[in-house]
């Protein structure tokens, strides 16, 4: 039976691109999933490589899901090579706690991460903006150096000035990638610059709520000019730690993992244990206090969830 990739999922239908075909609407086979998937509580995902059989009416049925190399729960997509984590420098204000929470979830999957800070044209040059929510050029540069020091590629973009798009494309060449982040940070605007002939729906920021409206309604893989595939996904601002446990959280902070092997106790949670190398590194300034504070916050959330459930 033929094989292919699910490139779009919408209202219970799976749009399968047959192996070797170019990604065009005319080449897609509209499929339903076998009933056995529902019985086994298995959901086919965009990005899945599948076996399918065509039916007499020109549609098809997905009969088998081939093994996945990776899987994201939110956004729901499989076999991703790169996650582009998109945050704006303002409108909405850059939230490093939320950024670190996204990073924990992605690190848990083992997928490569690229950080993208959008709307760089809105940066303030005012160095005396104490109490202001405006991000300054100097402040963003400090944040950029922090995450580059941890090991993440960090890119700055401006859709209005058409800056930074080529840098992102270089990281996505030949890969299956996904854009993730809050609503309203400019994911769809960036993708409009990256994908010729595509005009994804965008909305203005809701100033009253301080966040964007949900403009992307489903997950769909779109072709890039460099041979890659990219998914635009619904924006969201809340994540919970369904898959990460307290013992595994530390390894999702890349800079912790490098020094934690020196801790006296195996499975050290880096709280009050003696001879904890992570806390030593925080005291020495080699691990950022902001990252450690977020680790403690997330650890508390995980423990609270465990107590509740």
């Amino acid at each position: 039976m033929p094989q292919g990739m699910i490139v779009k999922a919408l209202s219970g239908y799976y749009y399968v691109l047959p192996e070797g075909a170019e990604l065009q609407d005319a080449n897609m086979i509209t499929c339903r999933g076998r009933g056995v998937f529902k019985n086994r509580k298995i959901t086919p995902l965009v990005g899945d490589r599948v076996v399918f059989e065509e039916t007499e009416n020109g549609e098809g049925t997905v009969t088998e899901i081939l093994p996945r190399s990776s899987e994201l729960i939110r956004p729901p997509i499989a076999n991703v090579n790169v996650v582009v984590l998109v945050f704006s420098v303002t409108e909405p204000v850059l939230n490093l706690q939320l950024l670190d929470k996204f990073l924990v979830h992605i690190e848990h999957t083992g997928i490569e991460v690229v950080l993208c800070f959008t709307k760089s044209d809105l940066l303030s040059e005012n160095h005396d903006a104490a109490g202001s929510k405006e991000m300054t050029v100097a402040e963003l540069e400090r944040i950029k150096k922090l995450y580059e020091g941890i090991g993440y590629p960090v890119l700055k973009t401006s859709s209005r000035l058409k800056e930074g798009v080529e840098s992102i494309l270089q990281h996505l060449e030949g890969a299956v990638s996904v854009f993730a982040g809050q609503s309203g940070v400019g994911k769809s605007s960036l993708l409009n610059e990256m994908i010729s002939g595509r005009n994804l729906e965008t909305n203005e920021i809701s100033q009253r709520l301080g966040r964007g409206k949900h403009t992307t309604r489903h997950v769909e893989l779109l072709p890039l000019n460099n041979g890659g595939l990219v998914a635009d996904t619904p924006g969201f601002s809340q994540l919970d730690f369904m898959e990460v446990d307290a013992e595994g959280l530390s390894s999702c902070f890349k800079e912790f993992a490098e020094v934690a092997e020196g801790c006296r106790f195996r499975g050290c949670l880096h709280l009050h244990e003696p001879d904890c190398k992570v806390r030593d590194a925080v005291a020495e300034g080699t691990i950022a206090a902001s990252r450690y504070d977020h680790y403690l916050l997330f650890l508390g959330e995980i423990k609270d969830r465990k107590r509740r459930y």
Side-chain angles (χ1 to χ4, degrees):
M1 285 190 288
Q3 296 184 9
M5 175 188 286
I6 297 176
V7 294
K8 181 167 65 171
L10 185 63
S11 302
Y13 286 95
Y14 303 101
Y15 298 82
V16 177
L17 182 71
E19 205 169 46
E22 291 187 10
L23 184 46
Q24 299 174 354
D25 289 344
N27 292 332
M28 294 183 197
I29 308 296
T30 304
C31 296
R32 287 282 194 178
R34 284 183 62 191
V36 68
F37 293 144
K38 187 175 182 179
N39 295 337
R40 296 176 181 174
K41 297 183 179 179
I42 298 172
T43 302
L45 299 177
V46 168
D48 268 330
R49 293 176 294 111
V50 298
V51 177
F52 68 97
E53 57 184 16
E54 294 190 59
T55 54
E56 294 179 356
N57 62 359
E59 296 187 347
T61 302
V62 174
T63 60
E64 182 183 354
I65 299 172
L66 300 177
R68 295 166 175 164
S69 62
S70 65
E71 178 183 347
L72 290 173
I73 295 174
R74 190 173 184 187
I77 188 169
N79 300 317
V80 171
N81 309 117
V82 182
V83 174
V84 182
L85 190 49
V86 186
F87 274 70
S88 60
V89 299
T90 187
E91 298 181 11
V93 175
L94 179 56
N95 183 338
L96 293 183
Q97 178 184 315
L98 184 59
L99 171 61
D100 283 342
K101 185 174 283 192
F102 268 91
L103 285 174
V104 165
H105 283 265
I106 299 168
E107 285 294 337
H108 184 66
T109 69
I111 302 172
E112 180 185 345
V113 183
V114 174
L115 296 183
C116 175
F117 294 132
T118 62
K119 307 183 185 181
S120 61
D121 55 290
L122 299 180
L123 285 170
S124 171
E125 295 286 352
N126 181 12
H127 296 273
D128 299 317
S132 171
K133 291 186 177 181
E134 286 188 343
M135 173 76 70
T136 65
V137 173
E139 187 177 1
L140 182 62
E141 190 59 31
R142 177 188 63 79
I143 292 170
K144 183 173 182 287
K145 286 182 179 179
L146 166 62
Y147 286 95
E148 285 178 337
I150 294 169
Y152 295 110
V154 181
L155 307 174
K156 296 185 294 184
T157 67
S158 168
S159 294
R160 187 174 67 85
L161 300 179
K162 301 186 184 303
E163 292 178 351
V165 173
E166 288 302 320
S167 297
I168 296 178
L169 285 170
Q170 289 175 9
H171 285 274
L172 306 186
E173 186 173 355
V176 175
S177 59
V178 60
F179 276 43
Q182 279 179 289
S183 299
V185 297
K187 296 191 301 297
S188 293
S189 296
L190 264 179
L191 286 167
N192 282 337
E193 296 294 331
M194 296 168 61
I195 303 168
S196 59
R198 196 83 187 191
N199 186 25
L200 302 171
E201 180 189 357
T202 58
N203 270 332
E204 295 297 321
I205 288 294
S206 168
Q207 297 291 345
R208 181 175 65 85
L209 297 176
R211 56 183 171 81
K213 296 178 181 178
H214 293 251
T215 54
T216 309
R217 303 297 178 182
H218 62 276
V219 180
E220 178 179 358
L221 286 174
L222 307 171
L224 299 173
N225 294 331
N226 59 9
L229 295 172
V230 64
D232 189 26
T233 63
F236 50 93
S237 59
Q238 298 297 323
L239 292 170
D240 55 27
F241 294 102
M242 293 287 290
E243 301 295 320
V244 184
D245 58 24
E247 291 72 23
L249 178 63
S250 174
S251 63
C252 296
F253 284 73
K254 292 175 69 168
E255 70 274 42
F256 288 22
E258 294 174 4
V259 299
E261 291 184 2
C263 292
R264 180 194 293 185
F265 298 106
R266 187 175 181 179
C268 180
L269 291 181
H270 319 306
L271 293 173
H272 310 294
E273 301 90 338
D275 294 331
C276 171
K277 297 305 180 185
V278 169
R279 287 192 292 113
D280 288 348
V282 175
E284 294 164 2
T286 53
I287 287 179
S290 64
R291 291 272 290 172
Y292 181 67
D293 289 344
H294 294 161
Y295 166 79
L296 295 179
L297 183 66
F298 302 158
L299 188 62
E301 288 185 30
I302 291 170
K303 289 182 174 181
D304 286 344
R305 181 180 181 84
K306 186 175 181 179
R307 280 193 292 267
R308 290 197 305 268
Y309 298 101

